Amino acid sequence: MKKKLFGLLLAAFTCGTMVMGASAAETADEIMAKYKEASAAVEEVSATVDMNADIQLSMEGQTFMSLTGNAAMNVAVDMDPLAIMETATMTGNMEMGGEGSQGGSLNMTMYMQPDENGAFAIYAGVDMGEGIEWMKQAMGEEETAKLMEMIEQAKSAQMPDLPVAFELAAEGADVNGTDCYVLNATLTWTDLMNVLTTVIEQNKDQLPEEVVSQIPDAETLNMVGAMFSGLKFNIQLSIAKDTYLPMRAYIDMEGSDWVTLGAVVGSLVAGDGGEGSAPNIGLDVNSLYMDYVYDYSTPVEIVVPDDVKAAAQDMGEMGDYGELVEELESEF
């Protein structure tokens, strides 16, 4: 079950960049068509990302755990040649009833760009309060070729018509001085799985075999769907009226019903596999959102500093997709 669930998440991650178009009402459809065309021509972009979570779990009416977390990220991408830079600051805190709180923060910086031979190298630095430590890992020629092939196929692929109904809001929005259309959609878990299934079916030839082999079967999807049946994913896109580029994307889960998932958590806490009487678990989600703001006007220049190259510990080459999948599965 864990491996099948991981396969679902991996497929969703791999297909994520393909899920940015939809058929909707006539006016919204025209905007989305121009949006897809404009996005395909983007050569460089940067973005800020803010993520926040505030969750409380109660047992028999008494709070026994609270989780809070926040992540602030800056991402820059240059498509010719492909290079990525990302910085992130993440903080989190967990409080257990009667046991005090545990938490901390970390800062991360990552560079990905081709070396002098055209193979990708990744430099990653993590600072957990005791100074930053750098590591380097190279991507072999074969894996580099696979990645570039996937990118080229994604750029040239036709966006499928997805079962998502975006609606054009009556009022627009101003995003950093840019006048924007606002499009809204709310997806249930079933809707999300229908989107994922559509993308997978129409793009199987572009996905590595190792990813396709991990896609869960219908029985697994039904089991997962029963757990997440009450969830709602609210999506708001702000699209520039002049360029039709996305300027902001906001996703939250307001209006979700967490009762079913709370019952599953209660069963896990009881440790009886659902055979006995599970405790009454309440799951309250006060905040859970992701907020992306995009910038196309600031030039993107990604260069790995010399001191980073000198300090990075060489971790050798990455494994292939199959080894990566097996390694990630072992962590779940």
Side-chain angles (χ1 to χ4, degrees):
M1 173 63 182
K2 288 182 179 179
K3 289 190 175 183
K4 291 182 178 180
L5 179 56
F6 170 77
L8 170 63
L9 298 175
L10 179 63
F13 172 80
T14 306
C15 297
T17 56
M18 304 177 185
V19 189
M20 296 299 291
S23 295
E26 182 178 359
T27 304
D29 186 50
E30 293 174 354
I31 296 170
M32 292 300 291
K34 294 178 181 179
Y35 153 68
K36 289 188 292 183
E37 182 180 359
S39 296
V42 171
E43 292 295 330
E44 58 182 27
V45 61
S46 56
T48 60
V49 187
D50 180 42
M51 294 180 282
N52 183 270
D54 182 355
I55 302 171
Q56 290 185 336
L57 286 85
S58 61
M59 182 184 296
E60 304 299 340
Q62 298 294 319
T63 300
F64 76 93
M65 180 186 296
S66 64
L67 302 169
T68 58
N70 180 267
M73 304 170 61
N74 293 279
V75 183
V77 179
D78 187 349
M79 295 299 297
D80 188 23
L82 178 64
I84 302 171
M85 179 183 177
E86 177 183 323
T87 62
T89 298
M90 292 168 275
T91 61
N93 186 70
M94 179 177 69
E95 294 187 5
M96 298 286 291
E99 297 183 11
S101 62
Q102 296 180 347
S105 63
L106 68 83
N107 297 305
M108 183 193 76
T109 302
M110 186 275 288
Y111 298 91
M112 173 178 165
Q113 65 177 180
D115 61 18
E116 61 275 7
N117 298 317
F120 286 101
I122 296 177
Y123 293 84
V126 177
D127 183 355
M128 301 184 68
E130 299 180 355
I132 192 166
E133 295 184 2
W134 287 96
M135 295 178 291
K136 173 190 175 183
Q137 197 162 27
M139 186 179 291
E141 293 183 5
E142 182 178 349
E143 298 310 312
T144 296
K146 287 183 180 180
L147 176 61
M148 295 308 299
E149 182 180 0
M150 287 179 61
I151 293 172
E152 290 303 316
Q153 288 177 334
K155 288 169 63 176
S156 60
Q158 292 295 316
M159 189 69 66
D161 289 329
L162 302 176
V164 180
F166 277 96
E167 294 184 358
L168 179 62
E171 295 185 4
D174 182 290
V175 180
N176 292 333
T178 299
D179 193 17
C180 296
Y181 297 107
V182 174
L183 299 177
N184 296 304
T186 296
L187 280 65
T188 64
W189 180 261
T190 299
D191 294 332
L192 192 63
M193 290 302 97
N194 288 338
V195 169
L196 179 61
T197 300
T198 300
V199 172
I200 290 173
E201 288 299 321
Q202 298 195 25
N203 294 278
K204 274 187 176 180
D205 294 340
Q206 300 177 29
L207 300 175
E209 182 179 350
E210 294 85 351
V211 172
V212 175
S213 67
Q214 296 298 313
I215 297 172
D217 55 25
E219 181 180 357
T220 301
L221 289 176
N222 288 335
M223 291 174 61
V224 175
M227 289 190 291
F228 299 141
S229 59
L231 302 189
K232 292 183 179 180
F233 302 84
N234 306 304
I235 305 170
Q236 183 178 90
L237 300 179
S238 298
I239 300 174
K241 291 184 178 181
D242 54 354
T243 64
Y244 291 93
L245 289 171
M247 302 303 297
R248 182 175 183 241
Y250 182 84
I251 304 170
D252 67 27
M253 301 183 70
E254 290 288 333
S256 292
D257 182 351
W258 301 95
V259 173
T260 302
L261 189 55
V264 174
V265 174
S267 179
L268 294 175
V269 171
D272 59 8
E275 299 297 330
S277 177
N280 181 21
I281 296 290
L283 182 60
D284 295 316
V285 179
N286 302 313
S287 177
L288 189 61
Y289 68 79
M290 296 183 290
D291 192 0
Y292 299 76
V293 178
Y294 301 96
D295 176 9
Y296 306 91
S297 60
T298 303
V300 173
E301 184 177 0
I302 300 173
V303 178
V304 182
D306 290 337
D307 60 336
V308 169
K309 293 180 179 180
Q313 179 183 357
D314 194 339
M315 305 300 291
E317 285 192 1
M318 300 178 187
D320 60 22
Y321 285 106
E323 292 174 357
L324 177 61
V325 169
E326 292 178 4
E327 179 180 349
L328 291 173
E329 282 185 346
S330 69
E331 301 296 327
F332 283 78

